Each structure stands twice: as C-alpha cells, then as structure tokens.
Amino acid sequence: MVSGAGGGGNDVQWCFSQVKGAIDDDVAEADIISTVEFNHSGELLATGDKGGRVVIFQQETENKSQPQCRSEYNVYSTFQSHEPEFDYLKSLEIEEKINKIRWLPQKNAAQFLLSTNDKTIKLWKISERDKRPEGYNLKEEDGRYRDATTITTLRVPVFRPMDLMVEASPRRVFANAHTYHINSISVNSDNETYLSADDLRINLWHLEITDRSFNIVDIKPANMEELTEVITAAEFHPHQCNTFVYSSSKGTIRLCDMRASALCDKHSKLFEEPEDPSNRSFFSEIISSISDVKFSHNGRYMMTRDYLSVKIWDINMENRPVETYQVHEYLRSKLCSLYENDCIFDKFECCWNGNDSVVMTGSYNNFFRMLDRTQRRDVTLEASRESCKPRQLLKPRRVCAGGKRKKDEISVDSLDFNKKILHTAWHPQENIIAVATTNNLYIFQEKVN
Amino acid sequence: MSGEVEASTVEQQEMQDTVVSPEKTEEAKLKARYPHLGAKPGGSDLLRKRLQKGQKYFDSGDYNMAKAKMKNKQLPAAAAEKTEITGDHIPTPQDLPQRKQSLVASKLAV
C-alpha cells in the first residue's frame, strides 16, 4: 500500500468498498452486530453478534496486475462461539451475545482469538486444512473398514491436496470467574496472559490455564448500597506488560501497575478532568460515563469515549486530557428525550488509525466521525445503502442543531436514533475501516487515484 | 470592597443560569415529566439495575418454555405441512418437512 503509515483523516477521501449482511429492514435480534475487530496484520476481520456467532473475513491477496482493484474481504470462517445458558442459581438467562473479540498475535500457521459473552471467555483456534491423507491400508476412502482378508499388499498413505477447509475449534474455556457481566478482555503484550473485566472486578488469566484466575481489581463495596461507580472498560498497555487501565461510569480512568501489589485496588495514576460544579446537572454523571478506553499504538496516549465526546489523554498527565473532540454536541439539548428512550446509555466504541494521527467513533443515524488530531479537522460520514456503488466517494454529512437548515444538512430531530454505529475498527496499517451498523458491516477504503 | 466583588460574581452566576445551559433546560424538562425522579441519577439504584441486567425467569422450566415458544414462532410453515401427511398416509422420509437447523448461520457469512 502506498500510504503505508495509515495516516490522514481529511486529505484522505473515503470510498465504499463492501457491505455484508441482509438488506431487509426486519432485523432479527441474533443478527445485531456486537463487536468488530481486525487482527494484528489486518488480514483478518472478525465480527461477533447477539446470536453468539463469529464471522471471520479474510483480505484477498492483492491482484498486482490490477492495482485499481482493491483487495476485498471475503468470508473465511464462521462458527457458533457461545450459546445461551441459564444461571440456575439466579434464575437469569446468560446471553450468548459476543461482547468482545480480541485476536492473539500470530505465532504459527493457526490463528487464535478470544471471544467472550457476559460470563465465559473462549479461546478459539482457526486453522486451515488443504491436504488430506489418502491411501490407508485398513480403511476405504469413505472410512469404512476394509475386510482384512482382502488386503494383500501394503501401501504408504500420502497427503493429497484438497479444497481449502477452515476449521474453528475451541481450545480453552475460561468460565465461572465473573459474578457480573464481562465488558472487556485484553491480551497482554507478554503473549501469555490476558485480563477480563466485569462491572466490579478485573481478573488476570494465563492463556494455558483455565481453572485458575487471579483477581487484580475489586471495587465491590462491602455494602452494595454504597455502590457509586462501576468498571466500564479495561485494557492492557500495548508494550508494558505490567500496566493496564480501567475506566469507570463516573468518567475516571485508573492506571494500575501490577508490580506494585498483587491486588491493584490502589491505582498508580488517576485520570480525571475537573468538573465545573456550576455546570453540574442531572445528566452530568450519566454522560460522563466512559464507554470505551483504548491505548494509542505507541502507548503514549489513551483515548476515552463518553456520551458526547472523545478525549485524548497523555499517560503522563492526570489532571486533564490533552485533546477533547465533540462527537455530536447537538445532542446536549436533547438529553431529556435521550434519557427517556434509553439512548443516553448507549455504549459507543472508538479506535485509532495505524499511526495514531486520526481517531474514529460512531454516532446516530448511521453516522460516524473521523477526528484528525494532526490537522485538527473532523468529518462526519454515513454508512448507508444509498452510497454503495463500487468505489463511490463518501460525502461529508452535516447536522443542523437548530434554526435554519441549510441544503444538504439534516436536522437533529430527523436523526434516526435506532441507527447507531457503536462498533468500528481501523486496519492496523492501511486506511481500511470496518463500520458496523445494526446488522450490516460496511468496509470503506481510502480512495486511490 | 470584597462585598462588591462577591455581589458581582453572584450576578454573573445568575446571568449564566438565565442564559441557561442546554443541559439544565433538559434537566428541568425531565423533572417536569417525572417529579418523583431521585436527585442522584448515577446513584446505586441505576447501577444496581445495570448489574442486574438480564431477563429473570421463575425457574429453568419457565426459561425452557420461553425458549421453545420462540423456536415455535419460527416454524409455523413446517407445522402446516405436517397436517397434510399424517392420518391415512404413512409418511416416508421424503414427505417429512426438513428439520430446521437449530443453529442458523449468520447473514454476514452469505
């Protein structure tokens, strides 16, 4: 790829590449996409849905003779990761919805990913089979045993090529370690451990060991009446295997160092932006709840997403973010209705591009936002079936907050709050993005001239 | 002197309030619609509701009945076919409706 660095937000023109999923408006609950994640090379793209299924797409190797033909993502493997369960003790259903998928760095020919629902994390191995043994002595090709008396000669079985078969098999099941609902998993840079976080606790696992887990954060109060905040997301530092962060429903981020103590209840750093008390309203705490936290690739910054904004923090500065971007400020005057229809509790994710120069996050009406940190510019784009011609350029969208609506603008009251883009992912090196609407996956690429 | 300074900051505050942050307007709207809403929105009630998320069933029997009801909703066509072949006609494997796949593939994988 010419761009290499994966940079640029607004000198980059985005165009449509592919869309996956059904066109019909009648969306079955199981088809709602709940997570999207590229692997470390960007060759594979995984999605999880509410029905507990994982679909993995693979980037086709580029056709060198046709540089205009952008590489496409096609289905590589699909499997049922989690099934619905019943918690007999609490008489509650345990949803099969896949909350998060995280890829392990590739070590051999097979690919590994962790997928989790509310209670159980599973390690899946995805491997290719393109040869099969033929010419057994004791069995026919279809598996039936040969009559031993008819065997007069011996032959050596050989491998013959076969149509590529991609198999997914569960290699580990990490269960029964979470009383509350798992919201995050994060693989450590040591490639041996990973963390899983629920509303009140964070556990550390070894990838090889399923019957033991270490609790490293516990914020459950002795008296549940005193509960004031919950854990909303957690992530390991990309390079420092002793460091992780977790965000809270009160808008704070805590950085913990596992070298300091076994139980990291005491944070090493607390990131919190002071609030102007005169601005405080009923909604302040709810909209300050952080729905996602992501370290930059270089490990120097972290990004948080709350209801109305994206903030970039320098991990060396705790008292305020270094950058704040408004995602959809026009919603501030709609908070009452957004509270009534529960949209105010929507959990938007965010992601960095490969060289940490641009960040992306979703919004309503199938809009998503690209925020360019270096050029201090932002753009709103839309994932829509109406812009689906091959290599069609995406047109920037504008929302009119009130008053006179200009041509091409859409008014706040016309926004469809059922069309939410909660999950987006950016290819680790190239300008290729995956944007999930309710039940469709859009892939957009940088326009190449 | 300090009294004057205080007075002006109070005035400023009042001015800000009357200029009115959109959030405070929205809050007033909400309180008007739901006068019994508690003062602490992010308090333990909201959080505990969040921790409790998930549909509660009476017991596992209740749960399995609910699941079966959902599956039946997906199979009305198959049921209609069945009534045609039972009774006088001895069904053969070809006559019976195809068993619906218990696990339906994702539409993204088409």
Side-chain angles (χ1 to χ4, degrees):
Chain A
M1 284 294 291
V2 171
S3 65
N10 290 298
D11 34 12
V12 172
Q13 301 258 58
W14 292 95
C15 56
F16 171 82
S17 177
Q18 297 169 273
V19 62
K20 310 277 183 191
I23 301 176
D24 54 79
D25 282 329
D26 193 18
V27 183
E29 271 220 28
D31 292 327
I32 296 173
I33 299 172
S34 50
T35 186
V36 183
E37 187 83 355
F38 279 101
N39 75 337
H40 293 269
S41 66
E43 188 206 352
L44 299 176
L45 175 61
T47 59
D49 66 21
K50 217 167 176 219
R53 301 164 300 196
V54 171
V55 182
I56 301 174
F57 302 93
Q58 182 188 45
Q59 193 178 26
E60 296 301 320
T61 43
E62 259 178 78
N63 194 338
K64 292 278 161 43
S65 61
Q66 281 185 291
Q68 284 296 87
C69 189
R70 309 302 300 278
S71 43
E72 288 200 332
Y73 282 85
N74 297 318
V75 180
Y76 180 64
S77 172
T78 175
F79 54 92
Q80 186 80 33
S81 172
H82 287 71
E83 301 241 18
E85 287 176 68
F86 189 68
D87 180 339
Y88 292 93
L89 196 62
K90 297 181 190 166
S91 292
L92 286 173
E93 177 176 30
I94 300 170
E95 269 193 308
E96 66 274 37
K97 171 168 78 90
I98 308 295
N99 292 333
K100 285 283 171 357
I101 288 172
R102 289 289 181 263
W103 290 93
L104 268 55
Q106 190 173 11
K107 278 199 267 196
N108 52 38
Q111 300 277 358
F112 288 86
L113 60 79
L114 286 171
S115 73
T116 186
N117 70 348
D118 282 338
K119 298 286 183 180
T120 305
I121 306 128
K122 293 187 184 179
L123 177 69
W124 287 88
K125 175 179 178 182
I126 296 109
S127 47
E128 292 184 359
R129 194 197 289 263
D130 61 358
K131 310 185 258 293
R132 66 155 179 257
E134 284 177 20
Y136 282 110
N137 290 291
L138 299 176
K139 278 197 254 181
E140 301 288 359
E141 294 309 329
D142 59 12
R144 283 178 300 139
Y145 282 97
R146 290 169 73 187
D147 180 357
T149 56
T150 64
I151 301 171
T152 52
T153 57
L154 280 181
R155 56 188 177 176
V156 178
V158 292
F159 275 107
R160 295 221 185 279
M162 60 180 250
D163 287 338
L164 179 68
M165 197 166 77
V166 181
E167 303 170 312
S169 57
R171 306 302 288 177
R172 305 270 187 278
V173 177
F174 304 92
N176 303 322
H178 286 279
T179 308
Y180 302 98
H181 298 110
I182 298 173
N183 52 55
S184 313
I185 45 173
S186 177
V187 184
N188 203 348
S189 52
D190 67 6
N191 282 338
E192 285 187 348
T193 57
Y194 75 94
L195 64 73
S196 58
D198 67 32
D199 292 314
L200 296 177
R201 299 191 178 102
I202 302 179
N203 293 330
L204 181 71
W205 302 83
H206 191 285
L207 286 163
E208 301 288 326
I209 299 168
T210 56
D211 61 358
R212 254 176 307 152
S213 173
F214 288 102
N215 178 243
I216 51 177
V217 172
D218 188 340
I219 64 166
K220 185 177 179 198
N223 180 0
M224 284 299 269
E225 303 278 314
E226 292 163 24
L227 182 66
T228 54
E229 64 181 335
V230 294
I231 297 169
T232 53
E235 197 181 49
F236 266 119
H237 189 277
H239 318 306
Q240 296 165 17
C241 57
N242 52 285
T243 305
F244 66 92
V245 292
Y246 68 92
S247 57
S248 85
S249 53
K250 273 185 152 174
T252 64
I253 308 101
R254 287 173 176 79
L255 184 141
C256 301
D257 185 336
M258 295 194 291
R259 297 170 300 187
S261 68
L263 190 58
C264 296
D265 279 358
K266 269 187 74 178
H267 54 262
S268 300
K269 292 191 187 184
L270 174 65
F271 298 83
E272 188 172 14
E273 184 167 24
E275 194 197 1
D276 181 359
S278 64
N279 278 338
R280 197 162 176 79
S281 76
F282 176 86
F283 303 110
S284 300
E285 195 175 301
I286 302 174
I287 63 172
S288 72
S289 176
I290 292 171
S291 49
D292 195 15
V293 64
K294 293 259 169 51
F295 275 105
S296 60
H297 291 93
N298 62 19
R300 167 108 192 259
Y301 299 98
M302 59 183 182
M303 160 167 57
T304 57
R305 175 68 155 97
D306 53 62
Y307 191 62
L308 297 178
S309 67
V310 161
K311 294 180 181 169
I312 311 285
W313 304 77
D314 182 327
I315 62 172
N316 297 311
M317 186 161 79
E318 297 165 63
N319 60 351
R320 60 178 171 80
V322 288
E323 294 154 35
T324 301
Y325 300 93
Q326 300 305 330
V327 179
H328 37 216
E329 181 66 16
Y330 46 78
L331 295 184
R332 202 179 287 270
S333 52
K334 300 284 168 200
L335 292 176
C336 180
S337 7
L338 294 168
Y339 180 87
E340 288 180 300
N341 62 18
D342 272 353
C343 283
I344 205 175
F345 302 105
D346 284 336
K347 298 185 179 59
F348 292 94
E349 291 174 9
C350 53
C351 59
W352 297 85
N353 73 340
N355 68 0
D356 300 332
S357 60
V358 186
V359 298
M360 168 168 64
T361 190
S363 179
Y364 294 103
N365 209 67
N366 282 348
F367 286 172
F368 58 99
R369 302 267 287 140
M370 305 281 234
L371 311 162
D372 191 326
R373 301 175 60 214
T374 46
Q375 296 188 34
R376 288 302 189 143
R377 281 190 287 172
D378 57 87
V379 69
T380 304
L381 300 173
E382 183 179 2
S384 151
R385 288 267 176 186
E386 283 159 35
S387 316
C388 278
K389 289 198 272 292
R391 293 186 291 284
Q392 178 176 0
L393 211 60
L394 292 185
K395 223 176 63 152
R397 298 276 178 246
R398 302 189 79 85
V399 178
C400 156
K404 269 197 157 353
R405 187 176 73 86
K406 298 196 196 98
K407 185 177 90 108
D408 277 359
E409 278 188 353
I410 177 168
S411 107
V412 188
D413 298 309
S414 312
L415 295 175
D416 188 342
F417 290 95
N418 289 319
K419 294 193 174 154
K420 320 169 202 248
I421 290 179
L422 303 172
H423 313 287
T424 58
W426 204 311
H427 189 290
Q429 281 118 37
E430 300 170 14
N431 276 339
I432 302 174
I433 54 176
V435 174
T437 58
T438 308
N439 64 327
N440 285 170
L441 183 72
Y442 286 79
I443 298 171
F444 301 110
Q445 294 187 355
E446 177 176 23
K447 187 169 177 66
V448 180
N449 292 316
Chain B
M1 173 85 146
S2 58
E4 276 171 30
V5 172
E6 270 172 35
S8 60
T9 47
V10 167
E11 262 170 42
Q12 261 182 358
Q13 190 61 41
E14 280 176 13
M15 236 178 63
Q16 270 177 4
D17 283 351
T18 51
V19 166
V20 167
S21 80
E23 260 181 65
K24 294 248 169 83
T25 326
E26 291 296 298
E27 179 173 4
K29 239 190 261 177
L30 194 70
K31 292 249 159 90
R33 283 186 211 178
Y34 308 100
H36 301 297
L37 206 55
K40 257 177 41 101
S44 46
D45 285 340
L46 196 69
L47 291 179
R48 266 185 296 161
K49 214 166 57 150
R50 181 195 172 129
L51 297 183
Q52 182 73 346
K53 144 195 134 174
Q55 192 174 355
K56 204 157 173 94
Y57 292 89
F58 181 70
D59 62 10
S60 62
D62 184 23
Y63 170 69
N64 285 310
M65 289 288 287
K67 287 249 106 160
K69 220 181 275 181
M70 261 179 56
K71 283 229 172 94
N72 281 339
K73 267 200 234 159
Q74 291 171 2
L75 296 173
E81 280 170 46
K82 259 193 186 154
T83 51
E84 288 170 16
I85 41 171
T86 54
D88 304 321
H89 174 69
I90 296 171
T92 59
Q94 290 92 295
D95 292 338
L96 292 173
Q98 278 287 348
R99 179 178 171 274
K100 187 176 182 3
Q101 261 190 304
S102 8
L103 302 173
V104 183
S106 165
K107 297 204 177 104
L108 294 183
V110 168

